[in-house]
Amino acid sequence: MSDLITTTFFSILAAGFIVGIVVGLTGMGGGALMTPALIFLGVGDAATVVTADLTAAAVYKTGGAIVHSREGSPNFSLAKWLIIGSVPMALLGPWLIHQVAGEEPESVDTLLKEAIGFALLLAAATYALRLYINLRRVRGGAANADPNPPIRPLITLAVGALGGLLVGVTSVGSGSVIMIALLMLYPGLSAVKLVGTDLVQAVPLVLAAAISNIIINGLDWEILIPLVIGSVPGTIIGSRIAPRVPQSVIRRGIVIVLTMSGVALLDKSGWAPLGKDDTHPVLIAVIGLVLLVSLPLIWGILRKGQGLPMFGAPTVAELDDANFRRPRT
């Protein structure tokens, strides 16, 4: 037992708790935040971290899916087509990485870090787009809401397949890429239906990805146990306080963190355009600074275009209030 309770144990527990709170606050997929956090903590190689993160996600996403299923919020027909597309690709993803990288652990680690880096940049872009689409949906009301839209099987299968491959390889994509695709393909779905559907399809997806990664990479219980212990209560706390917490700063911060993490992982992997031998902390800091200055201005312009003050930090509850929709003139 003393071998398990170490400084690393508490570091992983703290990381899981903090990321869990952010996931609960924003609905962001945990893999996009947890995987790079664990890699930068240095608790294991990329394959080990991805496997532990997927296994932990299978635990807490199952609980969320059960809650939403009991409340009747998921669109099960839509979730079915996503699952049919995603599960086979989630099973295949880890095998593809090892086929491409070969048997050398260092080659696998390098390729995985590159893949996760690009996946994080994609997640940052899709999350920013999701925020803008949500802003327009909320400000425009829900006149066109359709809880049971006609399913488009082929394109929904393709979205599931892309999400499944991303999650199987990197653990990133379930709560970012798939969600933005659902927002664009089925704009009439309510926010509750979207979250419920995403959670229901994510359980078999993440479970398949976890099983495939465990078969290939094994499972490090010393990472998994503190990760679950920390992330589950963190997610619950974040979900409870989300309606009362100003979202603007947190959500813009996530875009910045994802972008910087993606570039940092590409740098750490020795991605050729950044140079194989040197790291570039100054470049990463400059990217973060540029985003820190420019994002509030860009978001302010978008808010102003939707009839909101250019600067402000409304809570979720305020944005959902019909009386808050347009400033009085």
Side-chain angles (χ1 to χ4, degrees):
M1 187 68 177
S2 60
D3 293 336
L4 182 62
I5 308 300
T6 63
T7 303
T8 302
F9 176 94
F10 289 106
S11 298
I12 298 170
L13 188 147
F17 182 73
I18 293 169
V19 170
I21 289 176
V22 175
V23 170
L25 279 173
T26 64
M28 181 71 191
L33 299 170
M34 187 63 73
T35 299
L38 293 177
I39 290 175
F40 292 130
L41 277 177
V43 300
D45 58 28
T48 302
V49 166
V50 167
T51 304
D53 182 40
L54 284 168
T55 308
V59 174
Y60 61 75
K61 282 182 181 290
T62 299
I66 290 172
V67 171
H68 279 270
S69 297
R70 287 176 176 173
E71 294 176 354
S73 61
N75 184 310
F76 288 102
S77 179
L78 177 55
K80 176 189 72 176
W81 287 105
L82 289 168
I83 290 167
I84 292 172
S86 65
V87 168
M89 296 305 292
L91 291 168
L92 182 62
W95 299 89
L96 286 177
I97 280 289
H98 283 264
Q99 287 298 315
V100 173
E103 297 300 321
E104 289 294 327
E106 288 186 3
S107 298
V108 173
D109 190 61
T110 298
L111 182 58
L112 263 180
K113 285 176 180 173
E114 289 183 359
I116 295 168
F118 283 116
L120 290 173
L121 294 179
L122 178 61
T126 56
Y127 189 67
L129 182 58
R130 173 183 166 187
L131 295 180
Y132 176 62
I133 292 175
N134 277 336
L135 175 66
R136 294 194 61 175
R137 281 163 55 102
V138 170
R139 301 300 292 166
N144 299 318
D146 184 1
N148 296 297
I151 305 302
R152 303 161 67 183
L154 290 181
I155 194 167
T156 304
L157 278 171
V159 168
L162 174 60
L165 183 62
L166 278 172
V167 173
V169 171
T170 67
S171 81
V172 178
S174 174
S176 50
V177 175
I178 291 179
M179 179 64 84
I180 188 63
L182 292 180
L183 278 168
M184 297 177 74
L185 287 174
Y186 304 101
L189 283 176
S190 67
V192 173
K193 283 277 185 184
L194 281 167
V195 173
T197 303
D198 182 58
L199 276 172
V200 166
Q201 68 84 28
V203 171
L205 161 57
V206 171
L207 189 58
I211 290 171
S212 187
N213 274 278
I214 289 171
I215 292 172
I216 296 174
N217 304 315
L219 181 59
D220 191 332
W221 292 93
E222 293 184 2
I223 298 177
L224 177 63
I225 291 173
L227 192 57
V228 171
I229 293 173
S231 61
V232 171
T235 304
I236 293 171
I237 292 171
S239 300
R240 293 273 180 90
I241 65 176
R244 300 182 297 276
V245 174
Q247 296 285 305
S248 299
V249 175
I250 295 173
R251 293 180 174 184
R252 289 198 302 266
I254 286 176
V255 174
I256 296 172
V257 168
L258 290 177
T259 303
M260 293 179 68
S261 297
V263 175
L265 271 179
L266 290 174
D267 192 29
K268 189 179 180 70
S269 71
W271 185 48
L274 293 176
K276 290 185 176 295
D277 299 323
D278 300 318
T279 56
H280 304 81
V282 174
L283 171 64
I284 297 165
V286 168
I287 290 172
L289 183 61
V290 169
L291 289 174
L292 188 64
V293 172
S294 62
L295 276 184
L297 295 176
I298 295 171
W299 187 245
I301 293 170
L302 294 175
R303 281 169 53 90
K304 198 172 180 65
Q306 295 299 314
L308 284 168
M310 188 164 180
F311 298 105
T315 66
V316 170
E318 289 173 331
L319 286 175
D320 287 340
D321 182 358
N323 295 322
F324 185 72
R325 291 189 184 282
R326 296 283 178 188
R328 294 179 180 177
T329 56

